[in-house]
Amino acid sequence: MPLVRAAVPADAPVIAGLLEELGYAVSAAEVVERLACHAADPQDLVLVAEHDGRVVGVMALHIARMLHHAVPTARVTTLVTTAAARGTGAGTALLDAAAEAAGRAGCTRVELTTGNARTAAHAFYRARGYEATALAMRKRL
């Protein structure tokens, strides 16, 4: 089972590569800055999964208050593993850690968004109890 731990600045090059797998071009220096911002906010958590001492996945979680819910909601804002780590339990370990952190924060739900074309990810999430309940929409500014 992969080890899950808090992300640290030294993980930035690997995290940048993982984000690139999702289609987000970001430099290691930008990841370091973003990790610092997340670390400064108690509502944010960034974890990595390690296998044999190498980072193979990253997950970011945000705890948010919603006007329409009495308790906060946890939102997985990023989850990706290396292609080689898929099927090894790394993604599941990260989702389990997200659920544990959400529960400690008083959340009664974890939600996430996944791109329409990511059908393998959809199957992965469904197999772990996630349901498609909404349509996400966005407007670029």
Side-chain angles (χ1 to χ4, degrees):
M1 188 65 146
L3 167 76
V4 174
R5 63 168 174 79
V8 297
D11 299 323
V14 176
I15 293 172
L18 286 163
L19 293 174
E20 191 169 327
E21 287 193 37
L22 286 177
Y24 301 103
V26 58
S27 71
E30 290 171 310
V31 171
V32 169
E33 290 174 14
R34 294 174 190 181
L35 287 175
C37 289
H38 280 75
D41 188 337
Q43 304 307 316
D44 288 322
L45 176 66
V46 181
L47 301 174
V48 293
E50 278 189 356
H51 183 69
D52 291 333
R54 292 182 23 229
V55 171
V56 296
V58 64
M59 186 272 311
L61 183 74
H62 179 71
I63 306 298
R65 293 233 170 247
M66 304 287 181
L67 184 60
H68 56 285
H69 290 293
V71 296
T73 296
R75 179 169 287 157
V76 173
T77 62
T78 302
L79 177 62
V80 61
T81 64
T82 62
R86 293 181 191 138
T88 67
T92 299
L94 288 166
L95 280 181
D96 289 349
E100 289 173 21
R104 286 192 305 271
C107 300
T108 58
R109 69 166 87 215
V110 178
E111 54 184 44
L112 56 83
T113 304
T114 179
N116 288 330
R118 299 184 194 281
T119 56
H122 303 167
F124 169 79
Y125 294 129
R126 283 190 182 98
R128 281 142 193 88
Y130 287 77
E131 301 174 279
T133 60
L135 171 66
M137 301 180 89
R138 97 176 36 121
K139 178 181 176 181
R140 297 216 184 260
L141 302 177

